[in-house]
């Protein structure tokens, strides 16, 4: 069983479109995250949710809107896509304990043309 | 966001050699230092982690050395194998309050056969 699964794996779209990435975890974790990995492999946190509540919202354009329908799901909706949004987006989950490891999904490669 | 500086950016090591990746941090409140390993097309996965109450932690061929006074920590991979070829990220976080991991920029390791 995949612990953290995200769909789709690849997403190719044109500028100006709206798209969503879905994430589900079956680990029973209460905290979920979205990270962005750019072309240079730098991992940057975007959002963090704990028990469906937004905890961290880093400096991310408001075109990005996370939605957590329950604590096992955290989806990412992106409006008006721009070329600079092209990256790999990773969903992750963990227990709220600071020493608990992050479990990452396998990423969604978003290409905006 | 507090920085974690990682070096080198890339590393080529012969099979059987020792791979060494270094990280330095600024925030003295950091008290958890994990290393993540990422293979192409996959999400990062926890490799090994250390807390500052010890100066070294070893798990198999992987060792973290921690120098609290210098605010530095490093990953040593003994007897490096081609299967160790991956991108390695150091990270740091605080256990107090709600803290997410701050990642270094990653090191691409290639172990040549």
């Amino acid at each position: 069983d995949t612990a953290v699964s995200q769909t789709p794996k690849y997403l190719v779209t044109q500028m100006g479109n709206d798209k969503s990435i879905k994430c589900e975890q079956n680990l029973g974790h209460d905290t979920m995250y979205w990270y962005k990995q750019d072309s240079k492999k730098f991992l940057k946190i975007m959002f963090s949710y704990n028990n469906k509540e937004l905890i961290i919202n880093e400096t991310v354009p408001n075109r990005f809107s996370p939605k957590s329908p329950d604590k096992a799901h955290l989806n990412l909706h992106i409006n008006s896509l721009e070329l600079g949004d092209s990256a790999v987006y990773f969903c992750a989950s963990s227990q709220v304990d600071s020493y608990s490891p992050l479990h990452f999904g396998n990423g969604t490669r978003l290409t905006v043309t | 966001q507090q920085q974690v500086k990682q070096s080198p950016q890339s590393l080529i090591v012969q099979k059987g050699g020792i791979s060494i990746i270094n990280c330095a941090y600024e925030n003295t409140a950091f008290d958890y230092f994990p290393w993540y390993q990422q293979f192409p097309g996959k999400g990062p996965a926890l490799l090994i982690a250390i807390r500052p109450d010890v100066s070294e932690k070893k798990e198999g061929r992987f060792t973290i050395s921690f120098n609290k006074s210098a605010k530095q920590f490093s990953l040593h991979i003994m007897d490096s194998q081609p299967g160790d070829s991956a991108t390695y990220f150091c990270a740091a976080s605080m256990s107090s309050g709600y803290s997410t991991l701050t990642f270094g920029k990653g090191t691409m390791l290639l172990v040549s056969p």
Side-chain angles (χ1 to χ4, degrees):
Chain A
D1 280 347
T2 303
V4 180
S5 59
Q6 50 183 113
T7 55
K9 187 169 177 63
Y10 300 98
L11 190 51
V12 180
T13 188
Q14 291 186 326
M15 285 175 56
N17 285 348
D18 303 338
K19 290 292 178 185
S20 293
I21 306 172
K22 294 185 176 182
C23 179
E24 176 182 5
Q25 54 97 3
N26 63 6
L27 297 167
H29 290 161
D30 43 24
T31 306
M32 295 186 72
Y33 313 80
W34 278 108
Y35 278 84
K36 179 180 180 180
Q37 186 171 49
D38 62 23
S39 58
K40 295 184 178 179
K41 299 260 184 187
F42 182 51
L43 273 167
K44 182 174 169 56
I45 183 137
M46 300 174 68
F47 302 102
S48 172
Y49 268 74
N50 178 255
N51 281 322
K52 303 193 302 174
E53 298 294 325
L54 180 65
I55 300 296
I56 287 177
N57 181 353
E58 290 293 323
T59 307
V60 177
N62 57 15
R63 298 181 295 104
F64 291 78
S65 54
K67 294 263 188 323
S68 182
D70 55 63
K71 73 175 197 177
H73 295 84
L74 180 62
N75 303 323
L76 183 65
H77 188 75
I78 316 170
N79 290 328
S80 303
L81 278 155
E82 300 177 357
L83 291 175
D85 297 332
S86 296
V88 181
Y89 292 84
F90 286 99
C91 177
S93 72
S94 73
Q95 295 290 14
V96 72
D97 172 12
S98 299
Y99 301 129
S100 176
L102 290 179
H103 293 257
F104 284 87
N106 284 330
T108 295
R109 181 173 293 278
L110 172 65
T111 303
V112 183
T113 62
Chain B
Q1 191 176 24
Q2 298 293 332
Q3 277 191 315
V4 175
K5 294 181 180 178
Q6 182 172 348
S7 62
Q9 191 173 357
S10 61
L11 181 61
I12 300 175
V13 172
Q14 284 198 328
K15 179 181 175 182
I18 302 174
S19 304
I20 302 174
I21 304 170
N22 300 300
C23 283
Y25 62 97
E26 300 171 353
N27 188 347
T28 55
F30 285 148
D31 61 357
Y32 176 61
F33 303 91
W35 285 87
Y36 281 76
Q37 180 188 54
Q38 183 181 24
F39 293 106
K42 301 292 186 183
L46 178 67
L47 182 64
I48 187 173
I50 196 168
R51 300 183 197 182
D53 51 345
V54 296
S55 60
E56 185 175 283
K57 183 172 182 181
K58 185 175 181 178
E59 289 184 1
R61 296 182 294 106
F62 300 90
T63 300
I64 300 178
S65 296
F66 182 77
N67 185 329
K68 188 174 181 178
S69 61
K71 294 187 287 184
Q72 295 175 345
F73 58 111
S74 59
L75 176 70
H76 295 237
I77 307 174
M78 310 301 287
D79 187 26
S80 298
Q81 299 296 313
D84 297 330
S85 297
T87 300
Y88 292 81
F89 294 92
C90 63
S93 68
M94 296 178 283
S95 59
S96 60
Y98 189 87
S99 171
T100 58
L101 286 174
T102 298
F103 283 92
K105 293 193 173 184
T107 297
M108 292 183 65
L109 171 66
L110 176 63
V111 181
S112 59

